Amino acid sequence: MKAHSEINATDLAYHLHSQTNPQALSREGAYIVVKGDGAHVIDENGKRYIDAMAGLWCASLGFNNERLGRAAAKQYEELGYYHSFYGRTNPQAATLSKKLVDLTGMPGGKAFFVTSGSEANETMVKLAWLYHASRGKPTKRKVIARDRAFHGSTIVAGSMCGLEMMHREFGLPLPGFIHTLCPNTYRVKLPGESEADFVARLAAELERMILREGPDTIAAFIAEPIIAGGGIILPPNGYFEAVQKILAKYDILCLDDEVVCGFGRTGNWFGRETVGMAPDMMSLAKGITSSYFPLAAVIVSPKILEAVERYNEGGTSFGHGFTNAAHPVGAAVAAETIAIYEELDIVAHVRKMGALLHQTLVDVTKDSPIVGNLRGVGLMYGVELVEDPATGSPFAPARQVGARLAASAYEHGLVVRAMRDTVGFCPPLIIDERDVEEIGSKMEKALRETEKAIQAKSI
């Protein structure tokens, strides 16, 4: 057991951590981050780490952007808080609404503000229910998500996750939240199955599920353009086109979870452009403020807005909202974040750095006896570790090979994320050639150490 600093001791005594093993935390203590420097963070001992996960997929502009701090400070001086209930607004929220509708390409749509991606995804479900009820179809309540998906931690958002870890402690998913196949070409596509046949099988399975459950019971289908927390999984070509034909056939809404994929991450402004998705609603978070302020949004299409108006045409009020929604400081930070993206030509930069990161990871992993698959796009990559690359046979979960590699990387000053045995990379969008070189060098050291540990049978 390592000695704990005073801050660490206080943290252990009073802080319940998210997605952390309590026993391991008590034994090892927390990693205390005290400062940011571009794509790097610095711990309480002065050690630097390049954070190749942008914190939690979110610090797109790094960890100490002065312009965002100034934007927040200026707004705090003018108006530190106001709400959006009862017809109130503020100039920052109004201006940001227009910018988001224009950016997302949702003509005639509107932005509904919340404070997290979980709230945004939960809001899309409530609006889907309202939409169908307003059209005389109140039985359309069920929501289809996918295996391996992550959509948040609230009760409904957690129910939409296709990850057992989000369910087991809480008796989730709730009834009415169901999951179809994950479009994982590496794990779900059958041997000898072409990509086109794989897409056809995924679409056929989705349609069978809809018919089995009853089309008159299904409200919506929700998807991340690229599955993030489930292992960075890209859909095969033609997947969303095939899926959306089925959704249209059975009057089912398409909900686009852009919490990770939005704001340049995939090499387009939004992930839906990367994968060919045409949603009825979009949830935005993380990159909207580079996570410098807890602000998120749902972009709502005209037909959903019409349903809200129709439901309340008798003079009632739309019965949904959050205390800190449309927060003026959050809106000011979001506006400045987007302005910086535009000045940096962030999409072009991500494509350039993404190609360099991809080639770097290819070079690091190509001869590894434990790497089975490298996949990704933009600045979003996953390296899947396997026991036998020839067959793709996985390591036994209890060996926690991915976690071992992530721990080794951390010792070398590199932050990555282990999702089972897939090691994730989602660095700040501002990374440059030196940052990519550092990521590659430190990943190579961690990978070689992990290979040796497996060869020595110490894991």
Side-chain angles (χ1 to χ4, degrees), residues 10-71:
T10 302
D11 187 83
L12 286 171
Y14 297 103
H15 183 188
L16 179 62
H17 284 246
S18 304
Q19 294 196 17
T20 300
N21 178 266
Q23 290 76 27
L25 183 65
S26 295
R27 183 173 60 250
E28 300 295 332
Y31 299 98
I32 299 175
V33 175
V34 299
K35 189 176 181 180
D37 181 18
H40 293 75
V41 292
I42 301 165
D43 71 14
E44 63 176 340
N45 300 311
K47 183 176 177 179
R48 288 173 62 88
Y49 304 80
I50 185 161
D51 193 327
M53 281 303 298
L56 283 175
W57 321 82
C58 50
S60 304
L61 297 177
F63 297 94
N64 67 330
N65 188 286
E66 293 182 1
R67 282 180 58 178
L68 298 187
R70 289 197 299 269

Side-chain angles (χ1 to χ4, degrees), residues 121-417:
N121 287 335
E122 195 129 340
T123 294
M124 290 200 296
V125 172
K126 291 178 78 173
L127 287 171
W129 289 341
L130 184 157
Y131 169 75
H132 289 297
S134 77
R135 299 162 60 241
K137 299 182 178 183
T139 61
K140 290 178 77 68
R141 302 274 297 179
K142 295 177 184 175
V143 177
I144 300 174
R146 280 118 33 104
D147 295 335
R148 304 297 305 154
F150 182 85
H151 294 294
S153 297
T154 55
I155 294 173
V156 162
S159 293
M160 294 189 293
C161 293
L163 300 163
E164 189 270 342
M165 66 169 289
M166 301 301 297
H167 296 162
R168 60 182 179 80
E169 296 165 280
F170 311 109
L172 297 177
L174 294 174
F177 292 87
I178 53 183
H179 298 81
T180 190
L181 292 173
C182 173
N184 186 341
T185 303
Y186 186 60
R187 287 292 176 199
V188 181
K189 188 165 79 73
L190 300 175
E193 188 176 39
S194 70
E195 189 172 78
D197 287 342
F198 181 40
V199 168
R201 179 164 63 88
L202 292 168
E205 174 56 32
L206 174 63
E207 186 164 24
R208 280 193 293 271
M209 172 176 280
I210 291 168
L211 293 172
R212 185 168 62 246
E213 297 289 332
D216 60 340
T217 72
I218 310 292
F221 170 88
I222 187 168
E224 303 162 90
I226 295 164
I227 290 175
I232 307 184
I233 299 165
L234 282 70
N237 290 329
Y239 170 77
F240 277 106
E241 181 182 359
V243 163
Q244 294 204 228
K245 286 180 180 178
I246 293 168
L247 301 182
K249 181 178 179 181
Y250 296 107
D251 190 23
I252 296 169
L253 295 175
C254 181
L255 313 182
D256 175 12
D257 178 347
E258 292 273 0
V259 170
V260 171
C261 295
F263 298 98
R265 174 60 60 185
T266 69
N268 287 294
W269 267 104
F270 296 97
R272 71 175 187 84
E273 302 166 66
T274 303
V275 301
M277 196 176 181
D280 297 294
M281 289 182 269
M282 300 169 64
S283 61
L284 313 175
K286 296 187 185 290
I288 193 173
T289 63
S290 189
S291 285
Y292 279 48
F293 196 94
L295 180 117
V298 176
I299 309 302
V300 184
S301 66
K303 71 179 184 181
I304 308 298
L305 296 171
E306 290 166 7
V308 174
E309 293 175 5
R310 186 164 55 245
Y311 215 95
N312 291 286
E313 60 189 1
T316 54
S317 296
F318 176 47
H320 180 58
F322 297 93
T323 300
N324 289 299
H327 197 291
V329 179
V333 173
E336 188 73 353
T337 301
I338 294 168
I340 295 171
Y341 291 153
E342 291 177 330
E343 291 170 24
L344 294 175
D345 193 0
I346 202 66
V347 167
H349 182 74
V350 167
R351 290 177 181 178
K352 180 181 177 181
M353 290 299 105
L356 182 59
L357 178 61
H358 177 254
Q359 187 57 54
T360 298
L361 292 174
V362 167
D363 293 341
V364 167
T365 63
K366 62 184 176 183
D367 297 321
S368 174
I370 63 169
V371 172
N373 189 233
L374 166 63
R375 54 183 178 262
V377 68
L379 281 173
M380 190 176 181
Y381 280 92
V383 175
E384 186 163 348
L385 309 177
V386 298
E387 190 157 26
D388 182 359
T391 64
S393 58
F395 288 106
R399 296 177 71 178
Q400 295 191 316
V401 174
R404 172 63 179 268
L405 190 150
S408 177
Y410 201 83
E411 290 301 311
H412 288 291
L414 169 66
V415 180
V416 292
R417 177 170 173 175

